[in-house]
Amino acid sequence: MKTPDDISINKTEQKPLSWSLLDMAIEESYQEISQQRDEDPRKIYSSGVCEVISRLIKQKLEKYAEKIEIIIGGGWVVTTHEFLLVEIEGEIWVVDPTWQQFLAKPDPGKPKVLKSRLNELEVTLKKFGIQDRELAIWKDALSKRKKLE
């Protein structure tokens, strides 16, 4: 039987980046951040630790992903918000491990981690209840970035 140490992202040699590796890195990052901050790991996804967790996920995935970047946005709703753009299976995806902090209240019926094709982001966010005011956070960030190539 495999132990958690056996299935750690640090123990795998799989390339290129896959959904399972991404999910593993996210879950490990939630656990690490919750331990560092002495918080319930089930609440990290809706907390304001986007900078810390996005950077940790990126660090864990850099050896697997040829194309990965942190996007930083903000504006008048928040000072800054960080999330990831990553290429998986030839497509660019937005991955936001703390997107639920922008809902009126966290919703366990919605995904903990936002995963959306870049060209479908606005539709995806609206489908999950993000209002136009908060939608500006992602739009602003993406309008200022260089193209992931």
Side-chain angles (χ1 to χ4, degrees), residues 6 11 19-20 22 33-35 40-41 46-47 77 81-82 89 103 129-130 132 140 144:
D6 293 331
K11 302 261 183 182
W19 288 110
S20 61
L22 175 68
I33 299 299
S34 69
Q35 288 173 0
D40 184 341
S46 61
S47 68
V77 178
H81 178 61
E82 293 189 15
E89 299 173 355
L103 295 174
I130 295 294
D132 286 339
D140 174 67
K144 295 176 182 173

Side-chain angles (χ1 to χ4, degrees), residues 8-131:
S8 167
I9 193 165
N10 294 325
K11 302 261 183 182
T12 187
E13 297 300 321
Q14 181 179 347
K15 284 190 177 187
L17 181 62
S18 66
W19 288 110
S20 61
L21 281 174
L22 175 68
D23 291 341
M24 193 182 304
I26 291 167
E27 194 55 42
E28 285 181 10
S29 297
Y30 281 150
Q31 294 297 325
E32 288 177 35
I33 299 299
S34 69
Q35 288 173 0
Q36 290 171 8
R37 296 176 174 262
D38 196 28
E39 290 183 38
D40 184 341
R42 295 170 297 181
K43 295 182 179 177
I44 296 293
Y45 72 95
S46 61
S47 68
V49 295
C50 56
E51 294 91 353
V52 176
I53 198 159
S54 292
R55 291 171 190 203
L56 183 57
I57 293 167
K58 181 178 187 266
Q59 177 186 346
K60 288 177 177 292
L61 295 176
E62 284 180 317
K63 70 179 182 180
Y64 307 102
E66 289 183 27
K67 298 177 182 177
I68 185 168
E69 68 179 277
I70 290 181
I71 304 298
I72 302 172
W76 55 274
V77 178
V78 294
T79 50
T80 63
H81 178 61
E82 293 189 15
F83 55 96
L84 298 157
L85 279 187
V86 60
E87 182 179 33
I88 300 177
E89 299 173 355
E91 292 187 272
I92 303 299
W93 289 79
V94 173
V95 176
D96 192 335
T98 62
W99 75 278
Q100 280 208 32
Q101 69 181 301
F102 299 106
L103 295 174
K105 65 178 192 169
D107 184 342
K110 293 179 179 164
K112 287 191 325 186
V113 179
L114 178 78
K115 298 173 188 169
S116 172
R117 287 179 178 88
L118 179 58
N119 63 348
E120 298 172 357
L121 180 62
E122 186 170 347
V123 171
T124 302
L125 287 167
K126 285 184 175 184
K127 177 178 83 173
F128 289 138
I130 295 294
Q131 302 299 310

